[in-house]
Amino acid sequence: MFRSAKAMAALVLVLVVLFTTFASALADKSSDVLDLVNEQRKAAGLKSLSLNEDLNRVAQLRANEIVENWSHTRPNGEAWKTAFAEEGVSASYRGENLAKGQYSADAVVEAWMDSEGHRDNILNKKFSKMGVASVVIDGVTYWVQVFANDVKTTKKTTTKTTAVSTQENNSSTTATTSTSSEKKATATNQTGALDKLSQSVDIQSAMNAPAAQPILGKNPGL
């Protein structure tokens, strides 16, 4: 049992390191996309966009979603714009660009610039901020850009509040927890972390091979 738990902990550590490295590579892609977009805006006589962390969260949510449903419509049937509210972000003027299969920032920005609707978002003078995210699944890179003119953080209603309330209401029950229960909880947490990391990182994803036919999402308008 000890050896099994130790092996699991070692595997989780390896996956954490791999995931961190992979996340760093994706961050570099975001920075590269921003630089390339701003080059295009500068050439058009427009102000540069700034990378916004709130918009990055929205873009990451959408990047995960388009793997499941390749569309500006979210898997739950709602419009792409509703992802802003889900991430606790508001903006009065927004845009979204999608792409998949392009193996580099240069390739995806070039593809967007070759498409009138996507180019309109990149060169929209009303936008001042951008978020970028990419997800690699089975060697295919999925890309998302989101744009906004102003970004505000709003309060998000999550299930965490309910969970805390439940714990507080049940605090008057047994206050003692056995050592075996703690060990089970730890094992469960390790297994959960392992499952999440396994879903996020795999060998094929790390290879980041190009898709056979890179394509763009249809620009949905603003």
Side-chain angles (χ1 to χ4, degrees):
M1 184 69 177
F2 174 77
R3 289 182 179 179
S4 176
K6 188 175 182 179
M8 178 179 289
L11 181 57
V12 169
L13 179 60
V14 170
L15 288 174
V16 167
V17 172
L18 182 57
F19 178 75
T20 302
T21 303
F22 189 59
S24 178
L26 294 183
D28 290 341
K29 287 182 181 180
S30 298
S31 179
D32 290 343
V33 169
L34 176 68
D35 291 342
L36 292 167
V37 163
N38 282 335
E39 285 180 12
Q40 296 292 339
R41 288 179 66 88
K42 182 178 180 180
L46 300 172
K47 293 181 179 180
S48 295
L49 300 177
S50 60
L51 203 60
N52 182 273
E53 287 301 319
D54 289 329
L55 294 184
N56 279 347
R57 291 202 320 273
V58 176
Q60 189 63 62
L61 172 60
R62 291 290 296 128
N64 294 333
E65 290 181 341
I66 63 174
V67 174
E68 178 182 349
N69 184 39
W70 175 244
S71 172
H72 288 289
T73 300
R74 303 178 66 192
N76 63 6
E78 296 177 345
W80 62 274
K81 296 179 181 180
T82 61
F84 279 69
E86 185 168 325
E87 285 299 318
V89 181
S90 69
S92 59
Y93 194 69
R94 297 160 289 187
E96 178 181 78
N97 284 349
L98 306 181
K100 71 175 179 178
Q102 293 78 9
Y103 58 88
S104 68
D106 295 86
V108 74
V109 172
E110 181 179 356
W112 279 327
M113 289 300 295
D114 286 341
S115 168
E116 182 179 357
H118 300 85
R119 183 173 63 250
D120 288 345
N121 270 344
I122 289 175
L123 300 181
N124 191 318
K125 65 181 181 181
K126 292 185 179 180
F127 291 137
S128 60
K129 297 176 177 62
M130 182 180 74
V132 187
S134 59
V135 174
V136 185
I137 302 296
D138 294 333
V140 179
T141 307
Y142 295 77
W143 303 83
V144 175
Q145 280 181 317
V146 291
F147 307 86
N149 62 330
D150 56 355
V151 177
K152 296 179 180 179
T153 302
T154 60
K155 287 186 177 181
K156 289 198 299 181
T157 302
T158 66
T159 56
K160 290 182 179 180
T161 302
T162 303
V164 171
S165 298
T166 302
Q167 290 176 353
E168 290 175 350
N169 292 337
N170 294 336
S171 61
S172 59
T173 59
T174 55
T176 59
T177 305
S178 66
T179 304
S180 59
S181 297
E182 292 176 354
K183 289 182 178 179
K184 288 181 181 180
T186 301
T188 301
N189 291 337
Q190 288 179 335
T191 302
L194 179 61
D195 290 341
K196 290 181 179 179
L197 287 170
S198 298
Q199 293 169 10
S200 301
V201 180
D202 57 58
I203 299 301
Q204 287 183 324
S205 295
M207 289 173 62
N208 194 15
Q213 294 182 335
I215 61 176
L216 299 175
K218 294 181 180 178
N219 188 286
L222 304 172

